[in-house]
Amino acid sequence: MDQIRIRGGNPLNGKIHISGAKNAALPLMTASLLTDETLTLRNLPHLADITTLANLLVQHGVDLHLNGHDSAEACSGRVMEMKAGTITSTRAPYDLVRKMRASVLVLGPLLAREGHAEVSLPGGCAIGTRPVDLHLQGLQALGAEIELKEGYVHARAPGGLVGGHVLFPKVSVGATENLMMAACLAKGKTTLANAAREPEVVDLAECLIGMGAQIEGAGQDVITIEGVDRLHGHTHTVVADRIEAGTYAMAAAATGGTLELMGARADHLRAMIDQLAPCGLRIEEIEGGLRASRANGIIEGVDIMTEPFPGYPTDLQAQTMALMTTAQGASMITETIFENRFMHVPELCRMGANITVHGSSALVRGQPELMGAEVMATDLRASFSLILAGLVAKGETVLNRVYHLDRGYERVEEKLAACGAEIIRVQQNGE
Ligand code: EPZ
């Protein structure tokens, strides 16, 4: 397993190209199952999760080609062409699904296209139990028969799905996406109430509409889908990753530098921009992106509570905590989305942070400085919070289990080193 080694203290200055969003690319890839024509995705990020899902789609029968980097300047991601001419298997096996729980997003498309699907329950992960009950209840509302057997979801809709009304008891990004895709080919009208409003849901809806789906209201809390007989091929450019952009914006503020985040959109980061302005993070809109820097010499503690979009993103919570560890004053950070998303706390404390966790809230008392240490990544966003801490800490920080980072961030050490960070990746043989 690789390590990343950082010597802290350098302000980050320069330009970072923001990649296509992982959490948009994954559902967009599963949409390829909804048509027998070619779906082409541009600006695809180069991430482990993308590769894992590509392998799953291939075993469903998708003819998949990844033809290198896109030529257009605006999006330097990769171009993936997918053609599900024939679905050769409707089974999503445990050994693939357990590696990447977003694989459950093949359930809705397979059921809609083939009338049945056998998808492994994804199981939990470091940040929580991650149930899929809302996905299953929604599909049942569209007429699916659902049976759980030997760790697999056996879903059947022999006569095809029928449009219906789905009211989500809590906001779920994945359940909204699964149901929106399934409803595209259901007979009649479907309404999704208390739907997720994340930009990645909107990006998926825009792609589905381009494929011939009839969807209204994406980005609001009621989405209406009028089923159609079939969807056709399309070419779609994956939206920029707002979580990557927010993460690097905090890196600029933490190190006292200035970063231009090309491709980043202010409208996708409004909660972070508004709620971190009082702490001293300045975000300016520039041609083609955002500029992030410190508004004045210091970072001051602020209180943050994560919420579904348009609230403060849970995927920025760990990074925000890292920023607050050396702020002036205290910060109360409350995680309302996942039940176990403070795995970064003990590792940050090993670097000298002063953080006390009470239930779903963490009280961060800012310290004058952190000390570099050997630390362990536990999950995707926690791994970047440790990098942020390492960028400001005195001395060297060694981050282990870097594979967590590679799931969601493209070429981190390259992007940071190009902006002045002392950071290298060390290949670890054997282990
Ligand atoms: C998506 O996960 C993202 N992943 C997550 O990003 C993100 O943190 C999350 O949305 C919230 O924004 C992808 O898009 C691939 P949810 P998802 O369904 O869809 C509970 C990252 O770091 N729930 O909105 O799985 C669930 O346990 C990842 O990039 C149910 O109870 O999240 C959680 O507490 C981490 N039953 C809450 O709802 C269900 O059927 C929100 O989950 C589904 C979810």
Side-chain angles (χ1 to χ4, degrees), residues 22-23 130-134 172-174 315 337-338 341 381:
K22 166 181 84 79
N23 291 350
R130 311 294 294 275
V132 291
D133 54 320
L134 302 183
S172 163
V173 171
D315 292 348
I337 307 292
F338 290 107
R341 203 168 196 174
R381 306 302 173 182

Side-chain angles (χ1 to χ4, degrees), residues 281-295:
L281 170 62
R282 173 193 285 136
I283 298 283
E284 302 158 274
E285 293 193 64
I286 58 174
E287 177 69 30
L290 299 175
R291 178 184 296 121
S293 60
R294 271 192 194 178

Side-chain angles (χ1 to χ4, degrees), residues 22-24 26-27 49 100-105 125 127-137 168 170-177 196 198 200 241-243 307-309 313-316 319 335-339 341 379-382 407-409:
K22 166 181 84 79
N23 291 350
L26 295 171
D49 275 4
M100 211 268 305
R101 55 179 324 286
S103 310
V104 73
L105 291 172
C125 70
I127 63 177
T129 53
R130 311 294 294 275
V132 291
D133 54 320
L134 302 183
H135 299 239
L136 304 183
Q137 288 162 18
F168 293 113
K170 68 193 294 189
V171 174
S172 163
V173 171
T176 300
E177 291 165 342
E198 272 66 6
E200 295 76 28
D241 193 325
R242 62 192 168 99
I243 302 302
E307 291 172 321
F309 194 89
T314 175
D315 292 348
L316 287 178
Q319 302 90 309
E335 172 57 57
T336 69
I337 307 292
F338 290 107
E339 68 265 30
R341 203 168 196 174
D379 57 271
L380 169 55
R381 306 302 173 182
R407 294 191 51 182
Y409 289 97

